[in-house]
Amino acid sequence: MRHTPSFLMTEVDEVRRLVRGNPWATIVSSTARGIVASHYPFLLEEQPEGSDDIVLVSHVGRPDEVAHELGRHEVLVVVQGPHGYVSPAWYPPEQFVPTWNHTTAHLWGTPEILSDDENFRVLGDLVDHFEREMPEPASLDVDEATARRIARGTVGIRLRVTRFDARAKLSQNKAPEVVERIIAGLRADGPYASPALADEMARVHDTTTGLEAP
């Protein structure tokens, strides 16, 4: 990412929060055949209290594990949080250059290939994680034999993050009254409405501008 020190996100807990809230991520690999990218849901694997480790688990559908050469080299996982266009209509007249606010993390590590049993457990965790919002959650336990047969078409991975580069570009360089106008614009019923981005801005600026987070 572009070198923007004022927008750096350096706290591990903040990166974890970004992953938890935005599990759909992009895997990018530099392979012998060139650059390969795929998209899969990731979960954080909880670590002992006090640990600064960021560990992700997921799966890929065969033959993506071959295409990415998983386990043979480092990969990049890109997590994209709320983002959106910021119009100069929300700025003072003398500020007329628009921008794009975003929260993004680049995570690097070499994937560990999971055993069949651990892959099935992770698949079950993924299903349970997303189904918990449903009124009648589904589960792989409904028909484990069939679920295990389908799971053979996937390969589980664990990624222990060795380094990350994360940004929260949320108008930290703007005056408090401008930030308020941007948040109001993002919450309004307009072409660039983005309540999730407004929430992120309100949360970040709560400690720096006196805004009250929703």
Side-chain angles (χ1 to χ4, degrees):
M1 280 187 282
R2 176 170 173 257
H3 184 60
T4 51
S6 58
F7 303 133
L8 278 175
M9 190 190 305
T10 58
E11 295 183 13
V12 168
D13 283 345
E14 281 297 288
V15 176
R16 287 173 176 159
R17 191 186 71 85
L18 181 63
V19 175
R20 284 193 191 97
N22 304 274
W24 184 249
T26 302
I27 311 172
V28 183
S29 301
S30 179
T31 73
R33 294 189 176 185
I35 303 296
V36 177
S38 299
H39 313 275
Y40 289 96
F42 280 81
L43 293 181
L44 274 175
E45 191 169 69
E46 297 302 327
Q47 301 300 301
E49 186 174 352
S51 171
D52 283 336
D53 292 339
I54 301 174
V55 183
L56 311 178
V57 289
S58 186
H59 69 284
V60 301
R62 298 181 188 274
D64 265 5
E65 85 285 5
V66 176
H68 282 271
E69 301 174 348
L70 293 180
R72 293 169 54 184
H73 52 66
E74 187 177 63
V75 302
L76 165 65
V77 173
V78 180
V79 177
Q80 180 72 69
H83 63 93
Y85 180 73
V86 177
S87 170
W90 304 325
Y91 294 167
E94 69 276 10
Q95 297 178 23
F96 54 86
V97 178
T99 192
W100 201 282
N101 279 359
H102 66 96
T103 51
T104 308
H106 291 181
L107 312 166
W108 286 270
T110 300
E112 166 194 343
I113 305 300
L114 304 182
S115 68
D116 290 345
D117 284 342
E118 196 165 17
N119 178 41
F120 187 74
R121 179 186 62 77
V122 168
L123 289 171
D125 289 346
L126 278 162
V127 172
D128 292 345
H129 175 80
F130 294 108
E131 280 293 317
R132 66 187 180 187
E133 304 297 331
M134 299 299 292
E136 295 183 13
S139 170
L140 297 187
D141 294 336
V142 170
D143 185 347
E144 183 174 333
T146 298
R148 284 188 177 275
R149 185 168 64 252
I150 295 171
R152 295 190 194 112
T154 69
V155 174
I157 57 173
R158 175 178 289 110
L159 187 80
R160 300 183 187 278
V161 175
T162 55
R163 57 192 173 99
F164 67 83
D165 182 8
R167 298 286 192 280
K169 180 182 177 295
L170 300 168
S171 298
Q172 294 96 323
N173 57 342
K174 296 296 183 183
E177 62 273 16
V178 177
V179 170
E180 290 187 24
R181 289 181 62 182
I182 296 169
I183 291 173
L186 292 169
R187 292 202 195 284
D189 186 19
Y192 299 112
S194 178
L197 182 57
D199 288 348
E200 277 297 291
M201 288 186 61
R203 189 185 67 83
V204 167
H205 287 277
D206 182 40
T207 58
T208 57
T209 70
L211 290 175
E212 292 183 2

